[in-house]
Amino acid sequence: MTEKVGPEWGPLAALAGEWEGDQGVDVAFGNVEGSMITTPYRERVTLKPFGPVDNGTQHLYGLDYKMAAWRFGEENPFHTELGYWLWDAELGHVMRSFLVPRGQTLIAGGVVAPDATSFTLRADLGSTTYGILSNPYLARAANTTSYEVTFTVNPDGSFAYDETTTIDHARVASGPVAHTDRNVLRPVA
């Protein structure tokens, strides 16, 4: 079920609500297999509007963000995220900050037009603005060095994303691994 929000949410207005998608495809290094594997998945996302949040003269409108993804046939999610989407109209930036319960957090961002129906956000290891932090184990075993996601709001009211997380994996000698995820989500009735 989508929620009605005003123009204060800029390009995030179309994302407010509850969403589900069963067309997910995850391509990642499988630790058990010792190689890249492809995993189909289903996903549920909740984006609840809030705001304004004032940081001095900065005024943000946002969405509380919670997601979970399940491999088909499994009861427990294999991936979850908790965080915020934020819109800064003055800067024209969308920001997505989230935590993954493996001891990792990131904030991705980018310049986005207020009426955009497609936009890309990025984060890089070492950046003090749109960056990535990991716990010591992940930094050693599977260090995330960059993240990029493109969101597209479709004419039928669904939205799609395509993301790439670049990882320096200790078990892959051939170079960085491109861990990709994509899905199409529709409003929950």
Side-chain angles (χ1 to χ4, degrees):
M1 161 165 84
T2 59
E3 292 191 37
K4 296 289 184 194
V5 296
E8 302 88 355
W9 278 266
L12 300 182
L15 302 179
E18 293 184 62
W19 305 85
E20 289 184 342
D22 62 1
Q23 299 173 33
V25 177
D26 172 77
V27 178
F29 182 81
N31 283 300
V32 172
E33 297 81 2
S35 62
M36 297 298 287
I37 61 170
T38 300
T39 304
Y41 65 92
R42 65 183 177 86
E43 174 177 8
R44 185 170 182 102
V45 177
T46 304
L47 296 152
K48 294 184 179 181
F50 67 87
V53 173
D54 297 325
N55 292 323
T57 60
Q58 182 186 44
H59 307 289
L60 304 173
Y61 284 83
L63 302 169
D64 261 337
Y65 167 60
K66 184 176 184 180
M67 76 77 71
W70 297 263
R71 293 179 188 99
F72 290 107
E74 292 185 3
E75 189 174 320
N76 295 321
F78 76 100
H79 183 80
T80 61
E81 296 173 5
L82 182 63
Y84 300 102
W85 284 81
L86 301 167
W87 168 241
D88 182 332
E90 186 174 326
L91 285 179
H93 281 221
V94 168
M95 296 165 265
R96 178 182 178 200
S97 59
F98 63 93
L99 303 162
V100 178
R102 291 181 191 85
Q104 189 171 58
T105 188
L106 70 77
I107 180 169
V111 176
V112 179
D115 59 351
T117 57
S118 184
F119 55 87
T120 299
L121 308 177
R122 292 177 181 83
D124 291 299
L125 182 64
S127 175
T128 59
T129 54
Y130 296 136
I132 302 162
L133 292 172
S134 300
N135 75 54
Y137 171 80
L138 283 177
R140 184 178 62 252
N143 195 29
T144 299
T145 59
S146 67
Y147 171 84
E148 181 174 295
V149 62
T150 298
F151 279 84
T152 303
V153 177
N154 299 313
D156 68 358
S158 66
F159 77 85
Y161 68 86
D162 192 340
E163 68 183 21
T164 300
T165 305
T166 304
I167 301 169
D168 286 336
H169 202 291
R171 293 184 56 200
V172 179
S174 60
V177 170
H179 176 150
T180 61
D181 293 287
R182 67 179 184 275
N183 205 350
V184 176
L185 292 100
R186 292 180 167 68
V188 174

